[in-house]
Amino acid sequence: MTWFFLLMLSLTPFVTHAAEGDILLGAGDVLKISVFEQPDLSLEVRVSESGSITYPLIGEVRVGGGTVAAAEQRIATMLEKGGFLKSAHVNIIVAQLQSLQVSILGQVNRPGRYPIDSAKTLADVLALAGGVSPEGGDLITLVHNVDGKAVRDQIDLADMMRTGDLSKNIRVAGGDIIYVERFDKFYIYGQVQRASHYRLEHEMTVLQALSVGGGLSPRGTEKGVKIKRRDASGHIEVITAKHDDLIKPNDVIYVQESFF
């Protein structure tokens, strides 16, 4: 989708990335730990479900929920207080960041789970998944945790692009779920050249919908265009359509036959 890639370009100057020291460690993360001039203390270890690791000489060290810098300082302090080293200079590299992952589902080119190793926005993680697929629509559903409760937000990416409202390009966090809806459709049948279903574009009119359907057949009449639309209660209403009427999702447009 062209608008999506334009969106990526337009948002680039506004995206800021966090340093590794800002990452909060969690269960499943793989750490490479080394101590200056102490090769025997080099270790690659995975953070347990309880947020701890087991390190030579000092045993269990809790690192979950803290930054990389905090974990380095904690290990160094434990080595020094235990009398194992006089001055410990600990360095930690996050080899795999499993705790901070977002799930990207629906109509994207590469759905799956993706680690977020820095501050990322909604547009950033959609780019990680290869962008919105040709079947994808404008609406993005985000399920995230706010004060311990699951909150569901819906963002219209196309509208964000049109208006430039970057407040909708919200930051995502580990555990968030992003779902890209399938595009809205409308249906057209009767006396048109190409009766079928088509993608509903933003503020599409009846006249534009007829054009997408190839126009009227030789037996069609512009005075006989009806819209069948389901209301909130589930009942179908039949509307006599005008050329500048706006089409809504799942509308069925019927072009009647001319009797003259």
Side-chain angles (χ1 to χ4, degrees):
M1 297 175 64
T2 303
W3 64 262
F4 180 79
F5 294 106
L6 290 174
L7 175 65
M8 295 299 103
L9 293 175
S10 68
L11 298 181
T12 299
F14 299 91
V15 177
T16 57
H17 296 281
E20 188 176 69
D22 295 326
I23 298 170
L24 297 182
L25 301 174
D29 294 345
V30 177
L31 311 180
K32 288 186 176 181
I33 307 172
S34 60
V35 180
F36 182 65
E37 294 186 342
Q38 300 295 328
D40 292 342
L41 294 179
S42 295
L43 179 70
E44 182 170 315
V45 62
R46 185 180 298 273
V47 181
S48 70
E49 289 298 323
S50 64
S52 300
I53 62 170
T54 300
Y55 194 73
L57 302 178
I58 57 177
E60 186 177 14
V61 183
R62 181 162 184 80
V63 296
T67 64
V68 171
E72 291 172 339
Q73 183 59 50
R74 181 166 297 177
I75 293 172
T77 299
M78 293 177 72
L79 287 171
E80 292 169 3
K81 286 186 175 181
F84 303 108
L85 294 174
K86 188 174 183 180
S87 179
H89 299 282
V90 179
N91 179 64
I92 295 177
I93 296 173
V94 183
Q96 295 181 33
L97 192 64
Q98 299 295 326
S99 60
L100 297 181
Q101 291 190 336
V102 294
S103 298
I104 309 175
L105 309 173
Q107 304 306 312
V108 291
N109 287 308
R110 295 191 299 272
R113 287 173 57 84
Y114 290 87
I116 47 174
D117 55 0
S118 59
K120 292 194 183 297
T121 64
L122 179 63
D124 288 332
V125 296
L126 286 174
L128 288 176
V132 178
S133 73
E135 291 290 309
D138 297 336
L139 293 181
I140 310 295
T141 299
L142 172 65
V143 180
H144 55 131
N145 190 293
V146 177
D147 297 328
K149 296 181 179 179
V151 176
R152 179 180 180 273
D153 290 327
Q154 205 165 54
I155 300 100
D156 189 327
L157 277 183
D159 182 66
M160 181 169 67
M161 180 62 183
R162 284 189 294 267
T163 63
D165 183 4
L166 295 179
S167 66
K168 298 177 182 178
N169 188 34
I170 60 180
R171 282 180 59 171
V172 298
D176 286 358
I177 301 173
I178 297 166
Y179 181 79
V180 180
E181 306 277 354
R182 189 178 297 274
F183 63 72
D184 288 326
K185 298 177 181 179
F186 71 94
Y187 302 81
I188 186 167
Y189 74 110
Q191 298 303 319
V192 289
Q193 301 287 352
R194 296 190 299 271
S196 186
H197 64 267
Y198 295 96
R199 182 189 183 98
L200 178 63
E201 301 294 347
H202 179 67
E203 294 190 346
M204 194 174 206
T205 65
V206 169
L207 185 60
Q208 290 170 328
L210 291 174
S211 177
V212 170
L216 303 182
S217 73
R219 300 173 64 180
T221 171
E222 293 184 358
K223 296 180 180 179
V225 179
K226 305 288 185 180
I227 297 176
K228 296 182 179 181
R229 178 177 295 161
R230 193 178 298 275
D231 62 22
S233 62
H235 295 100
I236 294 178
E237 55 180 337
V238 180
I239 304 166
T240 299
K242 299 177 182 178
H243 281 175
D244 57 354
D245 286 347
L246 295 180
I247 305 299
K248 293 185 177 181
N250 298 315
D251 275 358
V252 179
I253 302 172
Y254 173 64
V255 180
Q256 296 182 18
E257 181 179 355
S258 173
F259 295 102
F260 300 99

